[in-house]
Structure formats: structure tokens, C-alpha cells
Amino acid sequence: MKVELKNIGKKYENRENFTLRGIDLTIEEKDFCVILGPSGCGKTTLLRMIAGLNSVTEGDLLFDGRRVNKVAAKDRDIAMVFQSYALYPHMTVYDNMAFSLSMRKERKKIINERVMEAAELLQITEYLHSKPSDISGGQRQRVALGRAIVRNPSVFLMDEPLSNLDAKLREHMRVELVRLHKKLGTTTIYVTHDQVEAMTMANRIVLMNDGKIQQTGAPDEFYEKPGNIFVAKFIGSPTMNMFDGCITDGNFVFDDGVVRIVPSEPLKKLLDPYEGKNVSVGIRAERFEKDSIHRNNIKCTIDVIEMLGKEKLLYCRLSNDKEIVISAPGYNRYEEGMEYTFGFDDSVVHYFNTETGERINK
Amino acid sequence: MKKQKHKNALYLSDRQPLAFAGKIGVLMMYIILASWAAAIIWPLYQMIVSAFNGRQGSYLILNREFEFSWEHFEYLFEETLYLTWVKNTIFIAVTTAIVILLIVSFTGYAYSRYRFKGRRASLMAILLIQTIPTFAGIAAYYAMHTIISNIIPAFSRQMMLVLIYAGGGIASNTFILKGYIDSISTELDDAGRMDGCSSMKVYRLIIMPIARPMLAVIGLWSFIGPFMDYLLPRVLLTSPQTYTLAAGLFTLINDIRNTNQPAFAAGGLLTAVPIVIMFILLQNQLVSGLAKGSVKG
Amino acid sequence: MAVYNEFLYDTIGNEHPRKNLYLLEVARLQEQIRNSAKSDKTEFVRELRELKRNRKSHPYNVSLSAFKKDEKTFRKNLSESKKAYSREIKGRFSPKITRLKILGFLSGQMEPFYKPFTGLSYDALMHYEEALIIQRQIDGVTEFISEHETAMADAKAARKTIGGEDNKKARAGLFDFKKIQRQKYKADIASLRKKIKEGIISKKAFEAEKAQLKKKQAYAILVKSYELPGKGNRELIKSLHYQVTKGFRREITVLNANIADLRRKTPVEITRVVPVNAFLSFFLPGFGQVLNGQYIKAIFFFLISIFTYVIAIPYSLGYANFQGDGIAGLISLAADGSKLDKSLIFMIEGTLSVYLIIFAVVLVYISFRDVFKVDRDRIRGVRPRNWFETKTSLFEEGFPYMVSFPAMFVIVFIVLVPITTTMLLSFTGMDPQNQSKFPWVGLENYKLIALGQGIAGKAFWYILGWSVVWTLVATTLAIALGFFLAVFTNNERIKGKLFFRTIYLLPWAVPSFITIMFFSIMFSPNGAMTEIITKLLNADAAIVVKYNPMLSRITLIFIQGWLGSSYIFLLSTGVLQSIPEDLYEAAQIDGATAWQKLKRITLPMVLFQTAPLLIGQYTFNFNNFSVIYLFNGGGPFNPTKYGNLAGSTDLLISYIFKLTTDNQYQSIGAAITMVISLGLMVFAFFGFRNSKAFKKSDTE
């Protein structure tokens, strides 16, 4: 099912300002859409509005072109997986999964078929008749998924479903969820604050902050072409190195020439209007190369080296004490306290308008 | 052989080995605990003995003679209205428990899950008003009973008593239940709503079954209350036919005409035994219920 | 002068331009008058006056009234054609579909009529879009319903053919299935048992496994049983029935909700600028709602009118009273009534009247607020809610009020009315001489108490003193006992915890009236304890505690310690077990002694967590009637000091009891009650306010 949000706004009753406003978003059929953002950005509110648990103050919410603003949650043909799983503790796994169908007075035989089907898909047939308190966290997670699947909904909503699992299990479930999505092909809207989950699972990410959508797009777009400074800083680990400088004579200058970047010709044209104005530049840690042939270089001293195995993180300092992080292959040798020169290619530099935060080199 | 012994003496406890002073301390503790246990058991033991002692007159005296007999129990059942009192008490207790459960289960849910005007103020006000002893309104209760029973003849003094007990139990029990429901994740409500429940159904099918232990505790407390209370039945109920156990048994030691202290001991024993068993079996729930209500609110 | 705004605002606060061009011109002129210099003003004022004078001939107003006229005839024709249409389709469809068809027909007529006027008036725009919404949805709904109704008809037809051979076969099949399932279950259980014997699984695991198997088997059979043609068919019909009724209701709700949404987005435009409806209808709740066009809502508000004018006011004027005279009775207290009239009843009915009047006033005010708000919002441009919207919000926001109504009812009548009565009683002269009729005496009773005069006042201060001492000493003793017993019992080196816990529970579990009465017996002149004490002290004459005030008091304090420690013991035990072990370990590493650990960790933790309950214990003991009264009736008595009523161990509560119940000095008793209640309330207020429970809900 295609989910469309048109100019959606939410204002809580006893609050002065809108929590969310002007949200426009289209989630195509069969999408795995991840809504990503720091806590308090309104992503859960948005999901709950789609679910029908919170009312929509303004705008239109369309499911396959049908307006559902006022349709009760149970009648929206959706299913939700909650952060705490929200399994009914007094019912067995079977009853948990059958609950929504039996609320609809569905026939026992059909309920049984659906539950069994879902249970087999998720490999939970063994403990169908246990209580949720008797099974492990990962199993509960599967039951929660099963409860959603049984309804055979057109949209899955997931509210940070993996945040209660330990790291190993989370990794496993991530793959499992993607596999499940491939198999069922149901539109999925997934809320998380974890960018790794977003990057690995989504075929479409919506990044939110301060009640607004910052950028939507495929995961690689986010990484390679962040739309503004917030996105650039939020996505990627380690965080992108940012330099707040200005354009002088067509070149980017940071702090009296500690860093000076000479842009390539096509870029120069884009940067023309910014002559004398403040511009921020971002370069990802892994884009620095030692002993390079690039014309843009920086000199820095290494403070600390973190060895991660396949890569090394170099925490360096420029001559004006500005800290930057550089990622280098694990087999390269560096010494702490030594000065090195790193170069980078033109194409990997992200230019942003410092005032608006918007990207310049689109 | 020697080695073996050494192994046995291996000190396995995490605790420090006791010094001499520590040993004295532990001994003192045992003595204190044991003597308090004795202080508790002795009067109760006396009661049991007197209840079964055929050599007792109508006044209890500490005599060394003991002869096992059921005569006091026989007296209790044949000469007094003991069974009527039991029946009255159970009627009042059960009705009170039902009324309180019916009312409180809704208010507890509403106070926990909904933010509405006057929520906090009303709870505080009711809690404060309830520090006023119930018995303060006694004159009014009489008159109100006169008025109501004139309109509804079937409205007995016992029903008035039930209403008073219920009225007195609403606020604190609402508080306790609210605390318990607060600890149930609201995501369960949301899940229920998505699965097709209305507010009422969310409560009935999801919250209530989960809160059942606490509801049981509240019901139990409301049930026990009338067994424990002496004051209100004494004042409100006028004829021995309508007495509860407390008021009825008191006539056995208070009223000179039918004083029979051993029979009182027997009656007391009969009343106490089921309650004591219940308390011992359910002590954890009863205590946790109380503590939760006050601590978590 | 009516001031108009250039824009209209809807519920959310969005701006909409006016469609009423006349009002728009007025608003603009007014705006110009406000903003222009003095010299230009006269010109604009003149212009405005001119405009207003020619209001009727303003082109917009002309076309608006033409539209209104058209609309009237259209509506009339519409109801005609609706009748014709319903006659036409009568009997051809099921009731539900008929309803939908008529709805569709109406919207089909309305859409083309209103379409040309959408630019003229917001009302027309709304009707037009409403018709569009209905048309967009109605077909889907009709299709859904008719599909399910057909399926239902099929299922019902199928029911007739069920029976005979098929059924028998199915039954036999089910029987066999059950048999197989049972056998399987037995085999599974047997293999599990074997595992137990071999020690592979524990007993507990076996029980859990067994319960699961049992459920599994029951489910399998249950599901299978629906394969019986009869049962399956019944279930199918039930399911379809549910789909049809619920589905219909759901779709209609969605339709209504969408229309409601439209109403929120489409403003309303009226010429009035003063919310007069509220003031017009102040004394008649319901009427204002009618003026606002909310007819069904009005019915409910008329109930308030009925309550006010048929119940509350007549009752408080003295009609339909049991005996009293409404509020007037509260003043006269039956002073010049007949012989049978009782002041007390007059007082209670007076109090009741006051509460009824308060209710009525509150309800009338709520109605006024409602009308006022709707009217004011309408002037701003917000469309009044229709019945569907009102109903929905009532069910959502009104839910907590609705479900707590029984509680409120009980509390008002069982708690508030009696307490108010007691309060009033304390200002009257109800005493043994004036039982059925008594006058108001003002603060006389309080004066008596304060000055220590009269029958009751004399002993008051002595008793208050003893009550306070009793409360502090007895409660603190119980708390200390309970706490230390809990600490000792929970000491890791003490064995037999369960034994001690069970014993210590007993004083709490045995109903206290029984133990107190039994203590009373044992301390009576020839009781067991009297004998023991006499022997121990080697006295010549028997030492009877009950005859000696000081001994009585001390004994009572110990009895309360005996009774009360149990509860504290259990409470403290609960808290002690929840204190994390690492706190103690940390303290141990820091070099704390056992005593320091107790003082710095255990005691504060327990006190902090149980504070409200401990406060409750103090107030409880202040009013601990039973232990005093049942032990010795407040005695021993000392008439020279306490008067004839009270004894030397009486607490205020038992004193009040004696005053009011045994001796009928109700008003003095009420006055004392009020004094101690006030004190207790202040005490409890600070206790509760500082408790975690209330602090937490502060931050919510």
C-alpha cells in the first residue's frame, strides 16, 4: 500500500506550538522506509499518527489515495510492532497472535491457519502455547512480529523494535527483518534513532529533526550527498569533519589559511555567489589519503590512534588546535605525536551554506 | 587423613568469620527474637487453651487444670447467635468488597490512563477528607438511614454500613490501583487499540487481567475490613440479630447477663483461624499491595 | 459598534478570507479608520456610514439573499423528491443499503445545486464538499455491505442443507480426531515422565511442558470441532453478521468523521459580533444550544434545566422533602415545626439542598460556558460542532468523568454530606435535653472546649494531652519494635527466618478486636495477667491494672506495641529485601561498622520508602478507638478530674463516642471532631504532599 502524508501537522492540546508541521512524504508500495532522527524529533509522534494512535491536527493522511485521518487505528489495515513488544502477558503466544483476529470475530479455522503460517515463518511453533514471560527476548521479538504478520496488514509500523535486544541479536534480527520484508513485500515504516539500522535496512530513509524532515532518499544518497549540515553530521561514524570558513578569491579558506581548498572549475561557478560569505566544508574521515597526489592537502599532528582492526582512527590536531578524525587502513603505520600530510580529492568535499545549513554542491 | 580434615574445614562462606563479640551479638539477637516470639504466642496460646478447657467457668482464670472439651463451642453455637453474626459479617464483607471493586477498578484505570481536569486535586482532597474519622458523621448516618429507609423500606442498617465502608475505601484503593496500573506499559493499551479494542475493552481484556493480583488484594482488604471493625457496627446496628462478629462477640464479655468469656475465646478462635491462614498464605501479596500503593502512587 | 475582522479563523487557527464581500468592505474600512490620521478619518467614517445604510442593496447581500431563497425552495423540493425516491426503492434492498442509497441520492442532488454558490458563501461550499465526500465514499460502502450481505444470505441458505450424512460423518471424524489427539498427548506425557526419571528435565519444567501440551491438544480439538458443518456455519454467520454491522457502523463513522474534518476546515460567517446567545439563555440550559443550532446536544442540556428547575430548586425550597424544609430548614432547624419534626433531619435535608444547588449552579455555568464558547468561536469563524463531533469528543474526553461518576456519587453522599452535617452540628446546641429540636448556638461549643467549661469541656485538655502522648509513644514504640525485629530477622546469620516471620505476622492477622478483648479479660480482676503481675511483685493485694490509671496507660501502650509492630515488621521486611546488596558492600569497603550501616543505610531507606504509611500509623493511632474502648472502656474513671463521662485512658475519639452515642451530646462531640479533624488534615497534608507519590505526579 502506498502511504502519503500531505502537509501533516500535529499540535498537542495543551501546547503552544506545533510538534510537527508541514510534513510531506510519500512512501511507495513495498518500500522499507526508515524514519531516522535523534530522540525528541517527532518521529514517534509521526508514526503514531500514521498508526491512528495520535490524532492528526492538520493535513491529509492517505492510504492508497483513501483519506484515513479519522479512521480508527484498528480499521486502517496496519499492524504495529512496539519497542517493548507489548505482548499481552496474561495470554499465551498463540492467543497473543490470534487476539486481533478474534476481536474481529474471524473464523477459528482461519485464525488457526494464519497463526500457524506466521509461526512457521518465524520459527516459533515450538512455544506457541507458552506465556511471553517464559520465553527469551529474541523470541518475544519474533512473537511481536508474528502478531503483526497474522493480521496480514498492508503496512507494518515498527517503533524501534530492536532497541531492547543485545548487540549480537540485534544484528541477527536486522537481517531477519530485511529477509521477512523481501518475502512478504509489505510496505514497512520503521522508526529508529540508530543510523546503522537505517543504513542497512532501508531502501528509503527519512531523516527528521526538530519536527521537520531534513532529507529523504536512498541510504547511499544520505552518505554521499547529505542535504544539509545536520544530515552530514548525523549520518556516518565517525562524524564528518566540518570546517567553518569563508570563500575568498574563489577558494575556501578556514581560519587564515590553516585549510585552503581550491575547488575544481564547475564547482567554482557554484561557489561564485558565496564570495566573501561564510561557507562550511565537510570531509568524511575515510576520504583523506596519505602521500597523495591531490592538490588540496592538510597538515596535522596525530594525538591518539585507535586501532579497530580493519581500520585505524587517527585523532589529529591542525596547527590551530582544530580537531579532526581521519580513518586509515589498519595496516598503515603511524606514530602518535608525529606530523603528517593528508590529501583529498575535490569530489569528496561537501560545501554547505553556513547560515542556512543547505548544501551548495548539489 | 589429615588432609581430608583440612578440606572439610575450608571456609566457604563469603561472610567474615565471627569474632567473639559477634557471636555474642548473634546470640543476643536470637534471645530477643525468641522472647518476642514467646510474647506473641503466649496470649494466643492462652486463648486456645481457654477455648478448649472444660474446667473454665464463665470468667476466665488462669488455672492449671485442663480438661479438653467442646462445651464452649457448643455454647457458642447453641446459646448465642454466632452463626447469624458470621452470616451478617460475610454478607457485609462480600458486598463491600464487590462495591469497592466495581467502583475502584474504573477510577483506578481512569486516574492512571487519562489526564483530566481536577485529577490531582480531587485525589488529594478525598485523601485529606478521609483522615476525618468515619465515625464523625455518625449522627448524619442515622438520620440519612431514616430518610432513605423511609423511601426504600428494604434499605437496612447493614446496607448503610456497606455504603460507609465502601465510601471510606474508594480513595485509598483508587490510589493503590492507580499505582499498579501506572506500572503497566501504555504500549499494551496501544497494542490493544490497534488490535481492535475500545477504551472499555482495553480495560476489560488487557489491563484488568494484568492488574488482577492487585484487584485481588484490594478485594481481600475490603473483605477483611468488616471483620476487623467494631465501632461502626456497634453504633449503627441495634439488634443482636443484625450484629457482625465483632459487635456480637463483645456482648459475651461486656454484657453481664450473658457473660461467657471462654465462649468468647472459642468464638474469637473460630473467627481468627481462617483469617490467619489467609494472611499467612497471602502475606507477600498483602504487604506488597500496601507498600506499592503508597510508594509508587 | 460592531467591529469586523478581515479574516476568519478555524479551529486550528488558520486564516481564511471572507466570502461576504459586504462585511469584507466594512472590515477594511474599519481597519483604515483605525490606521489613518485624524484628518482622513471623517472621510472613511462617512464612507462606512454610507455603506451601512445601503447594506440591503449591496450587490453581495442581494445575491446572498437570492441564494438563501433558492436554497429554501431547493430544500423543500429535496425532501419531496427524497420521499419519492424512497418509495421507489422501497423493498428492493436491505435496510442498510436503502439508507446508503438515500444518502447517495441526496448528495447527488445537493452537489449540482450548491456548486455555483461555492464562491458566494462558506455554507454553500461546505454543503458542496460534503456532497462530494459522500459521493466519493458511498459506492465503496454499498459494495462492501452488499457483498457481505450476499455472503450472509448464502450462508443462511447453506444452513438448511446441513445435516444428515455429512454431519454424522464429520462427527465421527471429530471423534476419531479427539481420540488420536488424546493418545498423542498421553504418549508425549509418558515420554516426558521418562525424561524426569532420567533426570534430564526438572519437575517444574515438566509441569510447564505438560500445561503447554494440554493447551495444544485442547486447541487442536477446538479448531477441528469447527469443521462440523453446523458449528462452522453458525460461526460463519456470526462472523459475517459482525462484519456487516460493525463494518457498516465503521464506514458511516469514517464518513461522518471526514465531514467533521471538513467542518473544522470550512469557516462560518455570521454578521453578529457579540456572543449574545450565552447571555440570552443563561437561565435555561439547552436553549442556548438550540440558538447555536446544536439540537441533539441541546436535549442533554435541557436535562440540566430539568434537574435545576424540577429537582434542585423545588427541593431546596422545601418541596418533596422527607420532613425538612429545604434550605430554609437549615436556618430554622424545625424550630417552629410540629412535634414530630426533627432538627437533625431538617439540617441534613438542608445540606442536601445546598449540595443540589451547588451542582445545579455548576451545571448551569458549564452550559453557559459551552454556549458562550461556541458562540464566540462562531464569530471568529469556527463552525459549531455537529452532533457526531460532540459525541465523539464526549466519548474520548468524557470517559474518565463517566467512569468515575459512581465514585463521586458515593463520596458526595457517604462522605461529604455527613461531614458537612457534622460541621454544622458543631454550631448547634444538640444535647440530651434538646434531641429532637435544637437551636443554632454559634461558636458556643468551641468556646466551651477552649475554656474547659461545661460537661464536655472540662476533660478536653486532659484527654487531648493523653491522646497526643499516646499517639507519639505507642506508635513510635510499634515502629521501633517492628523495625528492629525486621532488621534482626533479616540478618544473614539468623536462621529460621520463615518461622519468625510467620509468628510475627500473627498479631496483625488475628482480628485486633479479638486480641484486645482477650487482653482485657486477662487483665481483669481475676484474670491471668493480674495473677501473674501480683505474684511477680509479691504484692499482698491483687494488683489490678485496670484500676490504676498509670498502669492502665502503660499497659495500653504495650498492647498497641504488640499489635502494631507486626505491620511495621512486614513493611520493613519488604523494604529491607529490596535494598540492593552492593550498597552494603560499598559501605563495608568504606569501613562502616554494622551500627553505621544500620544508621546510614537501612534506617533512611526504610523510613523514606514507607513514610506515608508511617504517617498513616500516627493518624490511625490518634483515632485508635478499639484498643481503648475494648480494653477498659476508657477507664479507670475519676469523676473529680474527668467528669462523669470520660475515663483516664480515654482518647478524644472514644470520648467523642461516649459524648455522642452513649450520652447524646452530639454538638459538643461534633465540635471536638472538627477540631481534631482539622489538626489531622493539616498533619496528613504535609505528610502526603512530601511523599514521593504526589511529587511524582507533579512532574507529569
Side-chain angles (χ1 to χ4, degrees), chain B residues 25-38:
Chain B
V26 171
L27 188 69
M28 287 293 289
M29 274 199 257
Y30 270 118
I31 290 172
I32 293 170
L33 290 175
S35 45
W36 187 251

Side-chain angles (χ1 to χ4, degrees), chain A residues 17 239 246 292:
Chain A
N17 296 322
T239 310
C246 63
S292 71

Side-chain angles (χ1 to χ4, degrees), chain C residues 348-395:
Chain C
I348 287 182
E349 295 204 85
T351 314
L352 214 60
S353 310
V354 170
Y355 274 103
L356 285 178
I357 288 293
I358 290 175
F359 266 137
V361 168
V362 169
L363 289 173
V364 167
Y365 179 70
I366 287 174
S367 164
F368 167 77
R369 273 285 306 270
D370 173 65
V371 180
F372 182 77
K373 197 174 164 288
V374 169
D375 210 14
R376 193 192 56 200
D377 283 352
R378 200 155 63 131
I379 288 163
R380 279 182 64 221
V382 179
R383 204 166 272 277
R385 289 176 167 190
N386 65 9
W387 173 236
F388 172 80
E389 296 177 81
T390 308
K391 197 176 67 182
T392 319
S393 75
L394 194 70
F395 271 107

Side-chain angles (χ1 to χ4, degrees), chain A residues 11-281:
Chain A
K11 190 175 155 188
Y12 284 103
E13 217 162 303
N14 35 29
R15 254 181 242 172
E16 194 64 21
N17 296 322
F18 275 79
T19 308
L20 291 171
R21 193 145 207 201
I23 300 286
D24 279 298
L25 181 65
T26 308
I27 298 159
E28 295 296 337
E29 167 121 43
K30 295 190 179 176
D31 257 2
F32 196 115
C33 171
V34 173
I35 301 177
L36 179 67
S39 52
C41 71
K43 56 189 192 303
T44 299
T45 303
L46 188 63
L47 188 78
R48 289 173 62 87
M49 278 158 84
I50 298 173
L53 294 170
N54 285 1
S55 64
V56 179
T57 314
E58 62 174 14
D60 295 310
L61 177 63
L62 305 176
F63 283 4
D64 267 348
R66 193 171 72 108
R67 192 168 180 281
V68 292
N69 283 34
K70 295 283 173 172
V71 179
K74 57 177 172 149
D75 300 325
R76 287 192 183 185
D77 197 15
I78 50 181
M80 187 151 167
V81 179
F82 294 88
Q83 187 171 7
S84 66
Y85 317 139
L87 298 178
Y88 311 124
H90 57 292
M91 298 181 194
T92 61
V93 168
Y94 186 104
D95 288 334
N96 259 291
M97 290 168 74
F99 187 68
S100 64
L101 293 180
S102 60
M103 285 302 291
R104 277 193 240 163
K105 296 241 173 6
E106 197 52 86
R107 301 175 61 190
K108 289 270 184 313
K109 198 178 159 195
I110 295 173
I111 295 178
N112 192 48
E113 276 167 15
R114 293 254 204 103
V115 171
M116 286 305 172
E117 217 173 281
E120 263 154 44
L121 187 67
L122 294 163
Q123 298 157 353
I124 49 175
T125 27
E126 261 174 66
Y127 36 86
L128 263 184
H129 296 282
S130 322
K131 288 266 173 75
S133 54
D134 297 336
I135 58 181
S136 71
Q139 290 166 336
R140 275 180 225 175
Q141 173 69 68
R142 282 162 196 272
V143 176
L145 278 173
R147 186 169 68 179
I149 291 171
V150 161
R151 303 180 57 170
N152 199 6
S154 309
V155 182
F156 278 129
L157 306 177
M158 304 193 186
D159 186 5
E160 311 216 10
L162 303 185
S163 61
N164 280 357
L165 299 176
D166 60 58
K168 194 101 190 166
L169 205 53
R170 198 178 313 167
E171 222 166 273
H172 177 74
M173 281 310 286
R174 229 158 53 198
V175 182
E176 196 98 324
L177 272 176
V178 172
R179 211 173 277 154
L180 200 67
H181 177 248
K182 285 233 170 81
K183 200 178 226 163
L184 297 172
T186 313
T187 313
T188 305
I189 305 174
Y190 185 107
V191 161
T192 183
H193 63 266
D194 181 354
Q195 49 156 317
V196 179
E197 274 174 32
M199 298 300 271
T200 50
M201 295 164 78
N203 54 18
R204 205 176 146 71
I205 297 179
V206 177
L207 181 59
M208 286 182 69
N209 190 36
D210 273 348
K212 285 187 201 74
I213 293 181
Q214 302 290 332
Q215 188 174 350
T216 54
D220 45 353
E221 272 175 53
F222 268 75
Y223 197 74
E224 280 153 22
K225 280 200 174 262
N228 56 39
I229 297 180
F230 175 80
V231 179
K233 282 188 171 171
F234 192 85
I235 300 283
S237 168
T239 310
M240 187 189 275
N241 298 300
M242 297 294 286
F243 306 96
D244 297 335
C246 63
I247 303 290
T248 321
D249 302 331
N251 299 337
F252 172 81
V253 180
F254 168 68
D255 203 4
D256 282 341
V258 174
V259 177
R260 180 184 295 274
I261 301 173
V262 184
S264 59
E265 279 313 310
L267 250 174
K268 260 206 165 105
K269 269 196 195 112
L270 274 174
L271 287 172
D272 265 352
Y274 293 91
E275 181 66 38
K277 285 183 187 160
N278 290 341
V279 164
S280 302
V281 148

